[in-house]
Amino acid sequence: MRSLDHLFETSSRSLARRTSRRSLIATLGQLLTGAALLPLLPVDRAWAGDAKPRVDDPNSCEYWRYCAIDGFLCSCCGGTSTSCPPGTSPSPITWIGTCHNPGDGRDYIVSYNDCCGKTSCGNCKCNRNEREKPTYRPSRNNDLNWCMANSDANYHCSVSVILGVAEKK
Amino acid sequence: MRSLDHLFETSSRSLARRTSRRSLIATLGQLLTGAALLPLLPVDRAWAGDAKPRVDDPNSCEYWRYCAIDGFLCSCCGGTSTSCPPGTSPSPITWIGTCHNPGDGRDYIVSYNDCCGKTSCGNCKCNRNEREKPTYRPSRNNDLNWCMANSDANYHCSVSVILGVAEKK
Amino acid sequence: MRSAPLLCVAMLGVALSVRALAASVASPLPAEHLSVERLPAKTPHWIYVFDNAFSNEIDSRVHLFDGDTYRRLGQIDAGFNGSVTESPDGATTVIATTYFSRGSRGARTDVVEFTDNATLATTHEIVLPPKRAMTVPNIFNVAYSADGHFVYVAYITPAASFGVLDPAHGTVLGEIDTAGCALVIPSGPNRVSSLCESGRLLTVTLDAAGHEASRALSEPFFDADADPVFVQGIPTAAGFAFLSFLGEVHEVDFTGAQPAFAPAWSLVAPAEKGKWRPGAMQVGAIHRGLKRLYVPMHVGGEGTHKDGGTEIWVFDLVTHRRLARWPMHIDGASPVLAVQVSQDAAPLLFAATDSSDVAVLDALTGHVKHIEKHLGQTPWLMLNP
Amino acid sequence: MRSAPLLCVAMLGVALSVRALAASVASPLPAEHLSVERLPAKTPHWIYVFDNAFSNEIDSRVHLFDGDTYRRLGQIDAGFNGSVTESPDGATTVIATTYFSRGSRGARTDVVEFTDNATLATTHEIVLPPKRAMTVPNIFNVAYSADGHFVYVAYITPAASFGVLDPAHGTVLGEIDTAGCALVIPSGPNRVSSLCESGRLLTVTLDAAGHEASRALSEPFFDADADPVFVQGIPTAAGFAFLSFLGEVHEVDFTGAQPAFAPAWSLVAPAEKGKWRPGAMQVGAIHRGLKRLYVPMHVGGEGTHKDGGTEIWVFDLVTHRRLARWPMHIDGASPVLAVQVSQDAAPLLFAATDSSDVAVLDALTGHVKHIEKHLGQTPWLMLNP
């Protein structure tokens, strides 16, 4: 047993260092996670060779529908881009963003709900503010704690829920 | 006014980059802070050329009397090595350490009081455990929150107070 | 560089006397007494740095930091998503915050807490209705009247209103609705203005009991669609200056019964417009004596108004001319998210960065004297009463 | 490397089908519904990582982390200086913690909170007397009886005792004094042992009502002066193993009415003794099926028992032979402050470092599969019910 372990240990550890399997696996993991959610997204670009692949990654600040999230991504906290982590409660009130989906060329109205009742998730902190407005326009403001009206008003993380296509101006 | 500023700005900023005045001033500041407390310390070494100058620096984890502090140094939080920061309360109960003072070659018994009633200072986190013992010997244990018996029992930082010379074993 | 030789001489003297002392002392160190430190005499270079502690947001706090010695002087705890202000006499720090009985859950208590700046002990509190505006720090979330007789607290539920408190008697005097307008901009002994979505200021005048005596809406002075102003106003000699996302400066005189607007001017030349722009959590500071404005500026497009400044630009408030551009990265600083300046004749500029550091600059020259690493997690607002 | 090609094939399939879908769909994305995520089916590779959050200590928490997907699954808040345990059936996380009515000040409430591991919702609580041991996390701060009928909570005021709780009825059944001995080491349905300064174990046997029926002191099994044991015991098939500062292994059988001590053996060869030693906040993990012990080891002298391990050493519990040494720095990991191992046939070793990262290793080979950066501030204890 011991010698077998030693052999395996040595070979797999040195292999890992040569081929950087860790980063490969991390990348695959991210892609797979993205893929699981993909049927919702009619993207027209290939995976490989994309200059901005992370606009399709729900765990990245660059995901297209996160264009006005200033907070922690629930998808990095046990939730998804549209679901709160277990044990938290969604905020019934929200701020609204308008984000451009490069996959279909449309602008979408999204609702940025906060998930509430646990302390700061602390993971995947994003600060995007496209079309975000100051506090005097609260429906477009992401500086407010939108858990404010929840019975447990502590802010944990934020999601992005598609409400519909934005009307052309 | 404007041209004068520009001149001064350019010269002092470029000078600073050349001579690293920032680090010089930081060093001077540390030495001066140490110096103000020094009359208590009969050290027999010169400042310059000392291989371990920080054993005399109350803002360093290496200060000799901090030999069993696991926590934040009050001297970095608005207090000193023997005083709690303004607005906090010292713990009446403590753990005890025995530290060697290289300045006079003696071992001293020191009391490690916690300062209580504000949240974690968060500055100058030290983890030294010379002669520290596990929880079943509480008087020598620094894992306990020694603010436990204070009316405001939150831990903020730790001080090191000389009680006397340790008896020879 | 002038002072360095003097410091060296002083140090040498101390070191020599200590060595002499060491040689003469044979007895062991005496037993010591534990004490609580008293604050030294206040200087104009003390600064209250609000740390939102965003990754542990129930534990926000204020660090009192000395810009001369680069030392922390103490801490005032600030609860969940707290806001901070200083009394007009500089004697009291006020924290408006929220606690939950089980940390992040349970019964909610909104409260205004008063801390004695001489001792950093919290002396008393006023419990609020659970309506406090939970938002990023801003000097208009909680504010004193000029005479210190009232404290105003912004409420957002998300309906906007504000509370009027009597700090001397520890009571809530009432609540005043500000529909469509938000936050508390104090002026004089009894006026509160709020920023409106319509680009106007709503100004409510209070009676002696803290109740509404009258209200008035100003003409619009900005366009919330085309070019909104930051809510982070900057105190001027006669009121506050508001910067717009694109870099317009709106100076508002609050000394009269109603706010008066000076003609707007721009931080950016026509060629820079839409490229260089202000951006931060605390987006400007003014030295009122020197009449200088300091703004964190960066290159970016729409939506970058909370990106930090890669440079600090300095303006003369009289001539509206830019006096200097101070790139921060060459001194190792990350983009600047908050600025504050001391009001003395040898002013310091404080610049908090998005990597949680606070840089201390000579406000006359831009010389970076010190970078204090990790002054909390997310230092987003700095005050210097 | 076997699985990588399979993953690639699977991905390719998904990508192709998505591209086909994209080409055929012209209608916009539909409106979505906000929901609350449900946990997937539990696997042996889930781990509960306790973050003491030392720089914001009122905000400690537990992160549920998946060692296969490297994803956070959820969070359980843990108050000030909390402690955590898991019910014997794995269904419930218990947090023993303390809250203050004003964050860091005010009325103190010590409490035990029960969280449903299927929903991560906190379901109920039991308020304690204000005596809870406020100390670093350890599996003996709060613990279940083997049948789940009692919960024991260590008290230190600094006098040592423990509370007996009835989790089903939400009541405190009583308090039992353990003068000179501390913490709660559970065994069987009704026994609690404590570690004594004298090097003994005190074992209290409870009656059905949770009151003391009898107590007994063991012979000394370690010397608190010469070579104290860490209080961080490691679960074995028949009880717990305790490591000493110098690397002695004391395996204690808790299956009988009184603890029984196997002869101690050493982690270090005579030539290594006093140089290489164990050190951590959670100083060992045992795979009970494979009978393997994993210990973070470092080179250091007296007083380094809380320094992290630069290597993880693997031992066979039957032969006491060292099977492997796994240096951590070559994989970019900082010294290891806590270890835990999954109990399945393809076990993962989790190693939390002093730079707040958690490394995931193949527990058979030491191969570092992943390093999760910044899983909280100070991840000091990991549990895998």
Side-chain angles (χ1 to χ4, degrees), chain C residues 132-330:
Chain C
R132 185 182 70 85
M134 293 176 163
T135 184
V136 296
N138 178 10
I139 61 168
F140 302 136
N141 292 345
V142 55
Y144 268 93
S145 64
D147 61 7
H149 289 170
F150 294 132
V151 167
Y152 313 120
V153 184
Y155 295 161
I156 298 182
T157 65
S161 60
F162 66 89
V164 181
L165 314 186
D166 178 342
H169 296 92
T171 53
V172 178
L173 298 173
E175 176 181 353
I176 293 173
D177 178 69
T178 58
C181 312
L183 305 182
V184 287
I185 304 168
S187 62
N190 63 342
R191 286 190 306 272
V192 180
S193 300
S194 300
L195 284 160
C196 308
E197 189 166 3
S198 61
R200 303 167 193 262
L201 284 171
L202 168 69
T203 299
V204 174
T205 303
L206 305 175
D207 64 19
H211 299 142
E212 178 174 343
S214 64
R215 66 170 61 200
L217 269 177
S218 74
E219 290 303 300
F221 73 101
F222 69 92
D223 181 330
D225 289 311
D227 188 20
V229 297
F230 291 90
V231 292
Q232 286 80 16
I234 310 162
T236 60
F240 298 96
F242 294 91
L243 308 185
S244 78
F245 284 14
L246 290 174
E248 298 294 296
V249 182
H250 301 270
E251 292 177 69
V252 186
D253 183 333
F254 282 91
T255 56
Q258 293 299 321
F261 303 92
W265 55 279
S266 184
L267 300 172
V268 288
E272 297 162 336
K273 195 148 190 167
K275 294 169 61 185
W276 281 97
R277 60 176 76 206
M281 304 299 284
Q282 184 176 24
V283 76
I286 287 173
H287 191 296
R288 295 185 286 278
L290 296 172
K291 300 189 193 310
R292 288 199 197 162
L293 168 66
Y294 302 85
V295 184
M297 301 286 292
H298 69 280
V299 173
E302 198 284 321
T304 65
H305 49 283
K306 285 191 256 175
D307 290 14
T310 56
E311 300 188 357
I312 292 172
W313 289 9
V314 188
F315 295 88
D316 185 312
L317 282 176
V318 178
T319 64
H320 301 170
R321 291 173 67 183
R322 186 173 67 203
L323 303 179
R325 293 170 61 161
W326 295 335
M328 294 300 291
H329 65 91
I330 57 171

Side-chain angles (χ1 to χ4, degrees), chain B residues 56-108:
Chain B
D56 291 323
D57 178 359
N59 305 316
S60 162
C61 293
E62 301 308 311
Y63 188 35
W64 68 268
R65 58 164 72 185
Y66 293 158
C67 73
I69 279 194
D70 185 359
F72 306 109
L73 300 182
C74 291
S75 54
C76 298
C77 308
T80 69
S81 60
T82 61
S83 66
C84 289
T88 66
S89 300
S91 69
I93 55 176
T94 73
W95 82 104
I96 300 296
T98 306
C99 299
H100 181 74
N101 177 4
D104 66 2
R106 292 187 175 91
D107 287 349
Y108 287 88

Side-chain angles (χ1 to χ4, degrees), chain D residues 129-149:
Chain D
K131 297 182 169 188
R132 186 182 69 86
M134 292 176 164
T135 185
V136 297
N138 177 11
I139 61 168
F140 302 137
N141 292 344
V142 54
Y144 268 93
S145 63
D147 61 6
H149 288 168

Side-chain angles (χ1 to χ4, degrees), chain A residues 2 5-6 8-9 13 16-17 40 42-43 47 59 65 75 82-84 87 106 108 118-121 162, chain D residues 15 22 26 28-29 32 35 37 59 61 71-72 75 77 119-120 292 321-323 326-327 330 365-367:
Chain A
R2 186 179 170 196
D5 272 10
H6 265 138
F8 201 94
E9 169 205 347
R13 280 167 72 86
R17 283 191 290 281
L40 291 173
V43 291
W47 282 103
N59 306 315
R65 58 164 71 186
S75 53
T82 61
S83 66
C84 287
R106 292 188 176 92
Y108 287 87
K118 293 181 185 280
T119 64
S120 322
C121 158
I162 293 176
Chain D
L29 300 178
E32 297 170 334
S35 61
E37 195 67 7
D59 193 23
R61 69 275 293 280
R71 305 277 306 155
R72 294 195 194 184
Q75 177 176 312
D77 295 345
T119 63
L120 300 188
R292 289 202 193 159
R321 291 174 67 185
R322 186 174 65 201
L323 302 179
W326 295 335
I330 57 171
T365 66
H367 168 63

Side-chain angles (χ1 to χ4, degrees), chain D residues 178-340:
Chain D
T178 58
C181 312
L183 306 181
V184 288
I185 304 168
S187 62
N190 63 343
R191 285 190 307 273
V192 181
S193 299
S194 300
L195 283 161
C196 307
E197 189 164 4
S198 61
R200 302 167 194 262
L201 284 170
L202 168 69
T203 299
V204 174
T205 303
L206 305 175
D207 64 18
H211 299 141
E212 178 172 343
S214 64
R215 66 170 59 201
L217 269 177
S218 75
E219 289 304 300
F221 73 102
F222 69 92
D223 182 331
D225 289 311
D227 189 19
V229 298
F230 292 90
V231 292
Q232 286 80 16
I234 311 162
T236 61
F240 298 95
F242 294 90
L243 308 185
S244 78
F245 284 15
L246 290 173
E248 297 294 297
V249 182
H250 301 269
E251 292 177 68
V252 186
D253 185 332
F254 282 92
T255 57
Q258 292 299 322
F261 303 93
W265 55 279
S266 184
L267 300 172
V268 288
E272 297 162 336
K273 194 149 188 166
K275 293 169 60 185
W276 280 97
R277 61 176 76 207
M281 304 299 284
Q282 184 175 25
V283 77
I286 287 173
H287 191 296
R288 294 184 287 277
L290 295 173
K291 300 189 194 306
R292 289 202 193 159
L293 168 66
Y294 302 85
V295 184
M297 301 287 292
H298 69 280
V299 173
E302 198 285 320
T304 65
H305 48 283
K306 285 191 256 175
D307 290 13
T310 56
E311 301 188 357
I312 293 173
W313 289 9
V314 188
F315 296 88
D316 185 312
L317 282 176
V318 179
T319 64
H320 301 171
R321 291 174 67 185
R322 186 174 65 201
L323 302 179
R325 293 170 60 162
W326 295 335
M328 294 301 290
H329 65 91
I330 57 171
D331 289 291
S334 299
V336 171
L337 285 182
V339 288
Q340 187 55 279

Side-chain angles (χ1 to χ4, degrees), chain B residues 22 27 36 52 71 74 77 85 102 104 106 120 146:
Chain B
R22 196 155 62 232
T27 307
K52 283 186 168 185
C74 291
C77 308
D104 66 2
R106 292 187 175 91
S120 322
W146 285 98

